[in-house]
Amino acid sequence: MQIEVRSLQKNYGRVKAVRDVSFDVAEGQLRVILGPSGCGKTTVLRLIAGLEPVSAGSIRIAGVDVTLLPPDRRNISMVFQSYALFPHLSVRENIIFGLKVRKVPGPEIEKRLERVIELLGLGQRLDAKPGELSGGMQQRVALGRAIIAEKPVTLMDEPLSNLDAKLRNTMRREICALQRRLGISMVYVTHDQVEAMTMADRILLMREGRIVQDDVPESFYERPANVFVARFIGTPPMNILPLCNGGGGAALAPDGPVLYPGLDGSRFKLGIRPENLRLADEGHPAVVTGKEYLGSDTFIACAINGHEAIVRTRGMSDLAPGVPIHLTWDSKTLCLFDAHTEMRIEDAPEAEPLP
Amino acid sequence: MEPSAFWHRIETLAAWLLALIWAAPLLYAFWAAFHPPHYAVHFSLTAPLTLANFVEAWQTAPFARYFLNTILYTTTTTALQFVLCTLAAYSFACYDWKGRDIAFALILIQLMVMPDQLLVVNYQTMTALKLVDSIPAISLPYIASAFGVFLLRQNFKQVPIALAEAARVEGAGPLTILMKVYVPLSKSVYLAYGLVSVSWHWNNFLWPLVITNSVTTRPITVGLSIFGSPENGVNFAIVSAGTLMSVAPLLVGFLLFQRQFVQSFMRAGIK
């Protein structure tokens, strides 16, 4: 393992920012730490970088316990959210800053600089100051400064959050390609689930200082650990509908078809992705309450026994609010959650097919 | 005429009037210095121009030595202030240590103490250090400038912490971070503070008068006052020439750095 984090804790006074976080990053892996703001993800990154002392726990990088080492002896490079480019230095000097500080010989610096410039396409603007560059170019310079150090681990703190949506897509792909090409192990912090899903080899989802789920992206989507993950991943998020007791088992409505015979409906919630709900001539009754047209898709909002659910349909839809519809689904795509703890039931029985 | 335009004119007029009153002594010095002594109190547009006053002033008093003393005194003071204030400000702005806030409060209190109040105490200190009548003795009381510490600390605080952290990750130690990140980013403040400090010390009079008593240490302000003192018989033309010579470097500096000067005094006033 390239990075091993064990029982990491960080307290600021009485505030527990990180509570008992443990995870690994394999060599050459792009590991995304995802979570809403204030969940402690950036703190974890800063602890790995050594910018803050840990309150408890240990961090090993490439087999060496670095818990007490200063940042420069941890074999890492870092890209900051604000890029942290030195405004008084040119692009060239910004990139080679670390090499000069570490007294790398001149010819070696030139050799590495040439390679980084080629990788990032920075050739034209080497003598410009960061302030004269666009956001995307500044981002590249920050990447260049991280890459040129040739460290096995690169830490990224929300590197794309200051870019506009279009540029963000481009840079996302570029960072991924670069990481694969150079074989760097990367820890990438973001609050954007799209970034996490598209880039990550493995995602670590955090909330209130704790790990909620540590898994590959597919699992996050198909087998969310709890309601929070189910609602956090996916646009629009997973529909979570409370179950109730129908005739002889759990159902979505007291008079609706029974989905889980013999189960106490009041103790569970049902989760289903909008694209797994289909409009049909027969199925579970619902009433349209609104719609959003997105071009390729239309999100139809409807009420099932008074609870809102989103249905994703292809193309345009002529359904108007108030129209009664029928929904159907594949029982395999349903998730069952505990109504109280909100945790997903791992060994849930498969739901009965709709009549 | 609109009232606002009227008041605007009054303001302009008042500003010109004030400027004229302010500049009158300097203008008079120019008049007196470039004309024969006879015309010092006798204005005539046809008065002949002359440089004789400058020659005479230069020959009567050791102006060259005074200049050298002033230059040595102001440059050492400003240079030492830069070093000391930078280090102090860096520690106040970027490090957390026990008693930091109290120490900083004490420094702020020092801002309110007039240097003239400490004349006697400073003299005793210099006597104890056996430095009386030396150039370091003129500098020493000023090098731990509270104003400098305060100004630089405020500025260092505005530098994003991420920059220092980025430098740290790249392997820079505390001094490298100071010299390669904080100092270059505060260049304009150093220029402003340097200008204020140099002009203040160039004009400083009371403390140098007290602590110096020989030609080899006296700065130009003290030298000029001895040169112009009544027991030597006042010759306004020559005194004016001497004065002009002594302020010439500052005047040239002002013309060169006019904008920075105004900005720096404004900054110093605001902060």
Side-chain angles (χ1 to χ4, degrees):
Chain A
M1 284 295 151
Q2 193 63 265
I3 306 176
E4 293 160 77
V5 176
R6 290 292 172 270
S7 313
L8 199 61
Q9 284 183 41
K10 176 70 188 175
N11 308 328
Y12 294 103
R14 294 168 74 185
V15 181
K16 292 184 168 130
V18 177
R19 322 176 189 203
D20 196 28
V21 166
S22 303
F23 65 95
D24 293 324
V25 180
E27 208 171 324
Q29 195 176 53
L30 202 165
R31 186 67 129 113
V32 170
I33 304 182
L34 176 68
S37 48
C39 73
K41 55 190 190 303
T42 296
T43 310
V44 169
L45 196 76
R46 292 173 58 83
L47 291 172
I48 299 176
L51 293 170
E52 313 247 358
V54 304
S55 300
S58 71
I59 300 161
R60 294 171 76 83
I61 295 176
V64 182
D65 190 329
V66 298
T67 317
L68 300 172
L69 293 182
D72 57 306
R73 290 179 53 201
R74 294 190 173 203
N75 242 332
I76 50 146
S77 56
M78 186 162 175
V79 175
F80 290 80
Q81 182 172 13
S82 59
Y83 312 143
L85 299 176
F86 304 115
H88 57 292
L89 298 179
S90 68
V91 167
R92 173 201 306 272
E93 286 167 322
N94 260 292
I95 294 177
I96 64 173
F97 181 89
L99 300 185
K100 273 173 108 176
V101 168
R102 289 174 200 270
K103 303 211 163 52
V104 173
E108 171 72 13
I109 294 183
E110 285 306 313
K111 209 179 82 192
R112 289 203 206 174
L113 181 65
E114 217 166 279
R115 191 160 154 254
V116 168
I117 290 166
E118 202 196 289
L119 270 173
L120 295 168
L122 282 168
Q124 317 296 318
R125 309 301 307 267
L126 271 188
D127 296 314
K129 292 276 164 65
E132 301 160 18
L133 302 179
S134 65
M137 285 304 257
Q138 290 185 9
Q139 170 73 76
R140 286 201 178 87
V141 178
L143 272 174
R145 194 173 62 188
I147 291 170
I148 204 166
E150 297 186 356
K151 302 283 180 187
V153 173
T154 297
L155 308 176
M156 301 256 199
D157 185 8
E158 309 214 18
L160 305 183
S161 59
N162 292 329
L163 301 179
D164 61 56
K166 206 171 164 190
L167 203 54
R168 209 178 297 168
N169 283 339
T170 325
M171 287 309 292
R172 204 165 70 201
R173 257 173 259 128
E174 264 183 51
I175 291 175
C176 265
L178 210 59
Q179 182 266 339
R180 302 259 186 279
R181 196 167 152 192
L182 301 174
I184 322 165
S185 312
M186 192 178 271
V187 182
Y188 186 107
V189 163
T190 181
H191 63 267
D192 183 346
Q193 50 108 2
V194 178
E195 267 172 42
M197 293 297 279
T198 51
M199 296 175 78
D201 290 320
R202 204 177 164 90
I203 302 176
L204 184 78
L205 183 71
M206 288 184 66
R207 186 194 191 187
E208 288 165 3
R210 287 199 183 85
I211 295 179
V212 181
Q213 191 168 355
D214 178 355
D215 227 324
V216 293
E218 309 88 88
S219 297
F220 269 88
Y221 198 71
E222 288 158 16
R223 292 185 295 281
N226 58 22
V227 172
F228 170 74
V229 180
R231 302 281 302 172
F232 197 79
I233 307 278
T235 323
M238 184 184 268
N239 298 305
I240 306 290
L241 300 162
L243 289 172
C244 57
N245 284 317
L252 279 171
D255 52 351
V258 170
L259 299 177
Y260 297 96
L263 220 59
D264 178 4
S266 62
R267 288 176 47 221
F268 298 98
K269 285 180 183 173
L270 189 75
I272 184 160
R273 294 271 171 208
E275 64 274 22
N276 293 331
L277 282 174
R278 289 190 307 275
L279 298 171
D281 297 332
E282 282 186 9
H284 205 288
V287 179
V288 176
T289 57
K291 64 181 176 186
E292 273 182 302
Y293 172 62
L294 274 89
S296 62
D297 293 312
T298 303
F299 297 153
I300 298 168
C302 58
I304 301 177
N305 189 30
H307 299 286
E308 191 184 72
I310 306 281
V311 182
R312 182 182 211 144
T313 57
R314 307 282 302 157
M316 283 266 283
S317 165
D318 49 10
L319 289 173
V323 175
I325 52 170
H326 287 91
L327 297 171
T328 179
W329 53 75
D330 181 350
S331 304
K332 287 196 186 70
T333 59
L334 298 180
C335 291
L336 203 58
F337 298 95
D338 187 300
H340 181 64
T341 63
E342 302 217 315
M343 298 300 286
R344 191 171 62 88
I345 311 296
E346 278 290 346
D347 48 1
E350 193 167 307
E352 289 290 313
L354 287 172
Chain B
M1 207 187 326
E2 277 181 57
S4 69
F6 171 74
W7 284 112
H8 189 73
R9 281 198 188 184
I10 293 282
E11 269 174 34
T12 316
L13 197 74
W16 273 101
L17 203 68
L18 265 180
L20 205 68
I21 295 171
W22 206 261
L26 185 68
L27 295 177
Y28 172 75
F30 268 103
W31 170 268
F34 286 102
H35 295 103
H38 168 66
Y39 288 94
V41 286
H42 176 76
F43 291 96
S44 160
L45 279 176
T46 54
L49 290 167
T50 171
L51 287 173
N53 297 325
F54 288 93
V55 178
E56 203 180 331
W58 188 264
Q59 281 165 352
T60 354
F63 269 107
R65 182 67 215 200
Y66 291 159
F67 262 120
L68 181 70
N69 294 342
T70 292
I71 288 167
L72 280 176
Y73 155 58
T74 47
T75 47
T76 357
T77 310
T78 310
L80 288 176
Q81 277 175 339
F82 274 5
V83 175
L84 214 63
C85 296
T86 301
L87 291 173
Y90 185 43
S91 148
F92 279 121
C94 305
Y95 287 87
D96 207 1
W97 38 278
K98 233 183 181 156
R100 180 186 66 171
D101 295 337
I102 294 174
F104 190 65
L106 287 175
I107 287 193
L108 288 186
I109 289 172
Q110 198 216 308
L111 272 177
M112 296 169 213
V113 179
M114 291 291 293
D116 301 349
Q117 276 175 324
L118 301 170
L119 223 52
V120 177
V121 185
N122 282 341
Y123 196 92
Q124 285 169 340
T125 312
M126 292 309 145
T127 317
L129 291 171
K130 297 195 168 55
L131 282 175
V132 174
D133 196 22
S134 71
I135 288 173
I138 323 176
S139 290
L140 274 177
Y142 297 106
I143 60 169
S145 154
F147 174 64
V149 173
F150 180 64
L151 196 65
L152 286 171
R153 171 190 178 264
Q154 295 310 94
N155 210 69
F156 287 172
K157 281 222 151 208
Q158 284 168 15
V159 173
I161 290 176
L163 292 184
E165 286 176 343
R168 241 175 102 197
V169 172
E170 297 291 335
L175 272 182
T176 317
I177 294 176
L178 176 63
M179 295 314 290
K180 290 206 162 180
V181 180
Y182 284 100
V183 171
L185 283 175
S186 310
K187 238 193 287 175
S188 63
V189 175
Y190 279 101
L191 181 66
Y193 179 58
L195 289 174
V196 173
S197 182
V198 164
S199 58
W200 199 89
H201 289 287
W202 193 281
N203 291 324
N204 195 9
F205 175 66
L206 192 57
W207 171 247
L209 175 71
V210 171
I211 199 70
T212 61
N213 45 36
S214 57
V215 170
T216 51
T217 54
R218 248 174 230 147
I220 194 132
T221 42
V222 179
L224 195 67
S225 79
I226 290 169
F227 175 70
S229 58
E231 52 267 36
N232 298 347
V234 182
N235 181 337
F236 276 113
I238 294 177
V239 171
S240 296
T243 309
L244 277 191
M245 281 195 288
S246 73
V247 298
L250 272 196
L251 278 181
V252 171
F254 179 77
L255 290 178
L256 284 178
F257 293 106
Q258 203 170 2
R259 221 177 48 175
Q260 285 90 331
F261 247 112
V262 174
Q263 273 173 358
S264 70
F265 279 102
M266 268 169 56
R267 201 194 290 257
I270 291 163
K271 280 197 174 165

